[in-house]
Amino acid sequence: MSKNIILNNQEIEHKILRIAYQIYETFVDEEEIVIAGIAKNGYVFAEKIAQKVTQISPLKVALCEVFIDKQNPHNEVTTSLGKNQYENKGLVLVDDVLNSGTTLAYGVKHFLDVPLKKFKTAVLVDRNHKKYPVKADFKGISLSTSLQEHVQVVFEAKEDYAYLS
């Protein structure tokens, strides 16, 4: 199985900074926002975005980890923050790759039960193979791939990359 690098570390850093600026522009009227990352890589990506948002803006950022059973997305979605901690705030739901839209759709559904001021989504790679009408408001790159191809994002100490296999 060959690895075709689609984003190197420097390109991912650039995408993170651009998404952070887009988030700041969108939530400029807020004092505090919540950046909620879908467990594993989505959360790592959310941490990186949150770090940049706090560097470039006066926004207070609360990080939230979202736990979704990707094999059985009908199972209950849980978060590291209580609902009262993101109620009436702006929220960005983050994942690394938007493939079929299943994970993001169930993540969105969970947060729709809580009154939010603004709700946006962010992904590093948008694959354009959606089963659900889910879109990313902020995306690093859009990629048209075949259904047989897989996009993997690897977050390692100082050497992040995304590849197609």
Side-chain angles (χ1 to χ4, degrees):
M1 188 184 326
S2 66
K3 286 185 183 180
N4 183 4
I5 303 292
I6 53 175
L7 290 171
N8 64 30
N9 189 62
Q10 185 178 3
E11 291 165 330
I12 289 174
E13 285 296 315
H14 182 260
K15 305 290 185 202
I16 290 168
L17 183 60
R18 186 169 51 81
I19 289 170
Y21 273 109
Q22 289 174 317
I23 289 170
Y24 177 42
E25 288 169 3
T26 302
F27 295 96
V28 70
D29 296 333
E30 301 298 321
E31 286 182 31
E32 182 180 0
I33 63 168
V34 176
I35 297 182
I38 294 173
K40 304 274 193 280
N41 269 2
Y43 185 70
V44 174
F45 188 45
E47 287 178 313
K48 292 173 179 287
I49 292 170
Q51 183 182 17
K52 286 289 183 211
V53 169
T54 55
Q55 284 175 5
I56 65 167
S57 78
L59 289 173
K60 277 180 49 188
V61 177
L63 262 171
C64 175
E65 191 165 9
V66 182
F67 303 96
I68 298 174
D69 182 345
K70 293 184 181 193
Q71 270 56 54
N72 296 302
H74 297 290
N75 290 348
E76 183 183 5
V77 173
T78 58
T79 58
S80 62
L81 296 179
K83 289 184 179 186
N84 61 325
Q85 293 175 281
Y86 47 82
E87 201 170 80
N88 298 313
K89 293 185 179 151
L91 188 136
V92 181
L93 181 60
V94 178
D95 204 0
D96 59 341
V97 179
L98 174 52
N99 190 5
S100 68
T102 304
T103 305
L104 213 53
Y106 282 94
V108 166
K109 180 180 179 282
H110 171 79
F111 287 105
L112 290 178
D113 293 338
V114 179
L116 298 171
K117 283 187 179 177
K118 254 185 219 167
F119 187 15
K120 300 290 181 185
T121 55
V123 297
L124 180 60
V125 180
D126 182 354
R127 285 208 45 212
N128 302 322
H129 284 302
K130 295 172 203 57
K131 288 195 295 192
Y132 296 96
V134 175
K135 77 173 186 70
D137 297 296
F138 314 116
K139 57 185 156 232
I141 186 173
S142 288
L143 201 60
S144 293
T145 58
S146 75
L147 290 171
Q148 289 72 39
E149 294 173 305
H150 298 280
V151 173
Q152 292 288 107
V153 178
V154 178
F155 290 117
E156 292 177 347
K158 298 290 179 204
E159 202 45 54
D160 303 339
Y161 62 97
Y163 67 91
L164 190 63
S165 62

